[in-house]
């Protein structure tokens, strides 16, 4: 079953944040963390194919921002946005099958980790690894919304490192000039691989880059899920109302290495422990919920148990999933060949088409 993606405005609602929504935010953060912990177990059992990229300590960034979107809005995630994808409707079993490269995974074993998307229903785009490149792509996606007068918004994530790429600059500049309904979130987690932010960018605040494009820029505490939600919601609704793009810098911290193989030897002693102790987004939110929101600890424990059960069930399904089919490697790379119209410049030589473009054994693709 596909989980619903984030609903209605929460803090933008004049009635204020609903209790149910506050608990939902907690559920998504817990699900993200627990699912990644399960993936670590599977990785150590060599059941995960390829690298494992954690968002430990960044769950509030991912969940709080994606929660500001409607189902019809389009999200472009990165490796540390498992939480955003879950909020947008990706399911644990899809994620587990994908990481384990199973034959019934969303990409049928042809891509790894969370590189998969659904642009038909849940509206999250399959990510690519090239830093910054999804910004121009999302400028195009959101330009189409503007031209078609659809009240839809796009949200694209980049890391602090990606803000130093040409693609980031060109994409955001184009979106600004075209007043595309796009929100660009920079997750400033203090590192790009092993490079600390101040060693790859001389600007003190990445949010200040917005001024160079003539768009609003905001910086927020990315380890505070409610603040993240609020600042994203404002940008999303401004974009929906025709106000153009916003650049948001979310301050956070990457507590794990770039991926599981990275031993973080470049991180100053005590830094990770300090963030874990003083600024863990899940712990902080538990404090808010059990404090001013008056939620009982048992209620949160029940949510933890629910997340665990869902992940256990999804793991059983993924473990029982088949390996990939070799012929699946041949299909879906450019387009589905049998469904493609004949290329116009080949129209006069149709005999070449069956021979060269539609060989009979192109794979097992059924759709
Ligand atoms: C254009 C480009 N250059 C280099 C790389 C290799 N690379 C992959 S991730 C990464 C660091 C990314 O750092 P950041 O943008 O801060 O994102 P984070 O991993 O911290 O979320 C690098 C250099 C790449 N994928 N694309
Ligand atoms: Mg980074």
């Amino acid at each position: 079953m596909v989980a619903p993606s984030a609903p209605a405005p929460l803090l933008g609602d004049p009635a204020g944040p609903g209790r149910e929504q506050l608990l939902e935010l907690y559920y998504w953060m817990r699900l993200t963390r627990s699912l990644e912990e399960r993936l670590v177990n599977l990785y150590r059992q060599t059941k995960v194919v390829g690298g494992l990229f954690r968002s430990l300590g960044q769950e509030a960034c991912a969940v709080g921002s994606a929660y500001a979107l409607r189902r019809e809005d389009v999200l472009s995630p990165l490796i540390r946005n498992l939480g955003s994808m879950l909020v947008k409707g990706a399911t644990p079993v899809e994620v587990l099958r994908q990481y384990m490269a199973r034959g019934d995974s969303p990409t049928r074993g042809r891509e790894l980790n969370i590189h998969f998307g659904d642009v038909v229903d849940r509206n999250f785009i399959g990510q690519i690894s090239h830093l910054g490149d999804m910004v121009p792509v999302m400028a195009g996606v959101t330009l189409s919304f503007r031209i078609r007068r659809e009240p839809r918004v796009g949200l694209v994530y980049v890391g602090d490192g990606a803000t130093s790429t040409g693609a980031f600059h060109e994409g955001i500049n184009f979106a600004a000039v075209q007043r595309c309904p796009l929100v660009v979130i920079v997750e400033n987690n203090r590192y790009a691989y092993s490079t600390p932010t101040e060693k790859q960018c001389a600007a003190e605040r990445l949010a200040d880059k917005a001024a160079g494009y003539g768009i609003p820029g905001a910086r927020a505490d990315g380890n505070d899920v409610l603040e993240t939600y609020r600042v994203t919601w404002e940008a999303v609704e401004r974009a929906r109302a025709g106000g153009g793009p916003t650049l948001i810098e979310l301050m956070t911290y990457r507590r794990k290495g770039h991926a599981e193989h990275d031993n973080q030897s470049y991180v100053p002693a005590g830094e990770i422990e300090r963030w874990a102790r003083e600024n863990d987004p899940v712990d902080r939110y538990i404090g808010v919920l059990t404090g001013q929101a008056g939620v009982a600890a048992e209620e949160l424990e029940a949510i933890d148990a629910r997340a665990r059960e869902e992940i256990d069930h999804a793991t059983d399904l993924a473990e029982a999933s088949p390996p990939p089919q070799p012929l699946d490697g041949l299909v879906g790379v450019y387009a589905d060949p049998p469904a493609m119209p004949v290329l116009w410049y080949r129209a006069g030589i149709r005999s070449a088409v069956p021979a060269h473009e539609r060989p009979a054994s192109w794979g097992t693709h059924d759709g």
Side-chain angles (χ1 to χ4, degrees):
M1 197 190 76
V2 172
S5 64
L10 159 64
L11 297 175
D13 186 338
R19 189 175 194 279
E20 203 181 316
Q21 291 165 314
L22 291 177
L23 292 179
E24 239 174 52
L25 283 167
Y26 176 75
Y27 164 75
W28 293 122
M29 288 211 286
R30 177 58 70 200
L31 187 68
T32 306
R33 183 164 292 187
S34 300
L35 182 52
E36 285 191 359
E37 284 165 358
R38 174 58 48 87
L39 284 163
V40 171
N41 292 345
L42 293 165
Y43 180 85
R44 290 183 181 156
Q45 295 169 45
T46 67
K47 288 177 181 167
V48 164
V49 180
L52 173 57
F53 302 86
R54 294 289 309 271
S55 66
L56 182 67
Q58 299 185 218
E59 296 91 344
C61 278
V63 167
S65 52
Y67 200 76
L69 296 179
R70 298 182 188 163
R71 191 165 183 104
E72 65 269 24
D73 296 335
V74 173
L75 180 127
S76 171
L78 282 180
I79 43 175
R80 308 205 200 280
N81 295 118
L82 171 63
S84 319
M85 289 171 64
L86 292 171
V87 169
K88 205 75 180 73
T91 61
V93 69
E94 284 177 311
V95 173
L96 287 159
R97 283 178 175 147
Q98 183 75 7
Y99 259 109
M100 295 164 85
R102 299 296 165 139
D104 54 1
S105 71
T107 61
R108 292 185 249 164
R110 292 174 301 182
E111 254 286 12
L112 300 174
N113 57 71
I114 48 175
H115 283 211
F116 71 97
D118 173 5
V119 290
V120 175
D121 176 23
R122 295 166 288 177
N123 295 310
F124 54 94
I125 292 192
Q127 58 192 280
I128 57 167
S129 295
H130 312 74
L131 297 181
D133 278 13
M134 291 312 284
V135 181
V137 170
M138 287 301 287
V141 167
T142 51
L143 179 63
S144 80
F145 296 159
R146 213 206 69 203
I147 290 170
R148 292 171 173 167
R149 296 182 193 282
E150 292 175 355
R152 299 167 75 187
V153 172
L155 193 166
V156 60
Y157 296 95
V158 286
D160 40 279
T163 64
S164 299
T165 63
F168 170 82
H169 163 69
E170 292 172 28
I172 201 165
N173 186 62
F174 181 82
V177 170
Q178 295 291 339
R179 292 189 80 71
C180 296
L182 179 64
V183 178
V184 180
I185 292 198
V186 179
E187 292 180 305
N188 185 348
N189 62 6
R190 313 295 169 99
Y191 289 95
Y193 230 115
S194 54
T195 308
T197 311
E198 64 275 10
K199 288 204 171 158
Q200 60 92 10
C201 181
E204 202 173 301
R205 292 163 44 97
L206 300 176
D208 289 347
K209 294 193 179 200
Y213 304 110
I215 61 171
R219 183 187 243 195
D221 180 351
N223 283 16
D224 177 339
V225 71
L226 293 178
E227 186 179 331
T228 297
Y229 171 80
R230 187 184 306 112
V231 73
T232 312
W233 187 85
E234 280 168 12
V236 164
E237 290 313 306
R238 178 165 49 244
R240 206 185 304 284
T246 302
L247 177 64
I248 298 172
E249 179 185 15
L250 294 177
M251 303 306 292
T252 185
Y253 185 79
R254 195 194 73 196
R255 296 215 321 253
K256 287 300 206 171
H258 178 67
E260 277 299 288
H261 63 265
D262 171 359
N263 68 10
Q264 297 173 286
S265 53
Y266 48 86
V267 177
E271 187 178 274
I272 298 166
E273 295 73 15
R274 184 166 48 79
W275 278 86
R277 204 172 47 243
E278 297 170 8
N279 205 339
D280 177 74
V282 177
D283 289 349
R284 279 179 63 187
Y285 193 45
I286 291 174
V288 171
L289 290 173
T290 55
Q292 66 215 65
V295 176
E298 297 74 52
E299 204 167 341
L300 298 183
E301 281 158 21
I303 293 174
D304 295 349
R306 181 183 142 210
R308 228 175 8 249
E309 271 165 38
E310 287 174 6
I311 292 166
D312 284 346
H313 178 60
T315 307
D316 290 343
L317 291 176
E319 296 245 36
S321 286
Q325 295 292 317
L327 283 178
D328 270 351
L330 296 177
V331 296
V333 177
Y334 295 105
D336 186 4
M340 286 289 287
V342 173
L343 295 173
W344 63 269
Y345 56 85
R346 295 245 201 197
I349 44 169
R350 295 190 77 90
S351 60
V353 174
H356 301 296
E357 289 178 14
R358 298 180 186 172
S361 60
W362 266 54
T364 55
H365 186 40
D366 52 11

